[in-house]
Amino acid sequence: MESSSQFALFKDSIARRILSHTDIQDSASELDDFSSYLASESWPTLPDSLRTATYEARGSVSTEISLDSTPVSFTDTLISYGFASDQEDAFNFLKKALDVYVDDACAPPPVWRTTRKSECEICEREVPLTYHHLIPRATHTKVLKRKWHPESMLNSVAWLCRPCHSAVHSVSSTDELARDYYTVELLLGRADIQKWRTYAAKQRFGVKRG
Ligand SMILES: [Zn+2]
Ligand SMILES: [Zn+2]
């Protein structure tokens, strides 16, 4: 089983794509097994520059992959579980997961925020954190106009590790986050985030440590 940090980031990216087709997987361990399987099947077929992507090597990473190189096992599995309707659809699933993976793998190392929490507020891992605007900035004008929240609440943040931060944005739109999921408690009340939390808490590799 692959254990490079790049593989772990790729697997997380696949897990989040599965999570956004909610209800199909019913437990976090299935999410873990299923994303491990899909990631393991496709990882060896990816170009070297993708598999070794880092912040330092970001200039030489290309996400060009071909439909023909997508493994049959990957395509067939996605189709049989209803995540894709045909080969091209499965290929697009892989491409979208790869785009997010490359962003994560090539991101600069996060700042270690010693002034705030030391654990991610979702997965509770002690890793470098990013801050998530619970009421995303892009929605502030709308939030005030529609009186969703008072101005004093606009700058509330949650401290999240990068994988959890991406998970929050992949399951919900910015408007929905601003209107309905503007506290960590509300986020944790979602079934998909609970499933992600259980999954993420068990992952050992791939989270950049300070
Ligand atoms: Zn986290
Ligand atoms: Zn955010």
Side-chain angles (χ1 to χ4, degrees):
M1 170 77 174
E2 264 296 334
S3 64
S4 70
S5 64
Q6 283 90 348
F7 177 79
L9 292 172
F10 176 59
K11 181 186 149 190
D12 281 357
S13 177
I14 287 192
R16 287 188 298 258
R17 289 213 67 74
I18 295 168
L19 204 63
S20 59
H21 296 250
T22 196
D23 302 336
I24 300 182
Q25 293 292 306
D26 31 27
S27 75
S29 63
E30 279 178 61
L31 177 65
D32 201 0
D33 291 346
F34 197 49
S35 54
S36 282
Y37 174 75
L38 290 172
S40 303
E41 291 297 303
S42 49
W43 186 250
T45 70
L46 300 175
D48 277 351
S49 80
L50 270 176
R51 285 184 290 141
T52 55
T54 56
Y55 176 63
E56 290 74 23
R58 65 195 180 283
S60 53
V61 176
S62 152
T63 54
E64 290 296 307
I65 52 163
S66 74
L67 185 65
D68 299 333
S69 64
T70 311
V72 175
S73 55
F74 180 92
T75 304
D76 286 353
T77 304
L78 283 185
I79 293 173
S80 65
Y81 282 86
F83 290 104
S85 53
D86 57 20
Q87 193 192 8
E88 202 181 326
D89 222 19
F91 178 63
N92 287 330
F93 179 104
L94 179 59
K95 279 185 72 158
K96 284 180 188 157
L98 274 177
D99 284 343
V100 176
Y101 155 72
V102 169
D103 282 351
D104 284 348
C106 297
V111 180
W112 182 238
R113 308 268 179 189
T114 49
T115 54
R116 291 293 187 107
K117 314 230 178 216
S118 61
E119 292 173 352
C120 169
E121 293 184 64
I122 289 182
C123 69
E124 298 176 336
R125 288 180 292 185
E126 247 189 71
V127 293
L129 304 176
T130 61
Y131 60 95
H132 164 62
H133 284 92
L134 287 158
I135 301 172
R137 280 176 202 269
T139 66
H140 286 184
T141 311
K142 188 187 276 182
V143 167
L144 293 177
K145 199 155 80 187
R146 304 199 179 170
K147 300 189 165 53
W148 287 347
H149 307 291
E151 191 167 6
S152 59
M153 276 185 60
L154 292 183
N155 291 316
S156 44
V157 298
W159 292 86
L160 306 178
C161 71
R162 228 187 126 77
C164 289
H165 197 165
S166 299
V168 165
H169 286 280
S170 72
V171 299
S172 199
S173 69
T174 51
D175 278 5
E176 198 189 14
L177 289 173
R179 199 182 55 231
D180 302 321
Y181 299 101
Y182 52 91
T183 66
V184 173
E185 290 66 34
L186 289 166
L187 282 169
L188 289 174
R190 291 179 63 117
D192 47 13
I193 292 294
Q194 279 172 23
K195 204 183 299 173
W196 167 264
R197 174 196 216 184
T198 309
Y199 164 87
K202 290 193 305 179
Q203 309 303 313
R204 298 256 174 271
F205 297 100
V207 179
K208 291 171 182 162
R209 289 169 194 273

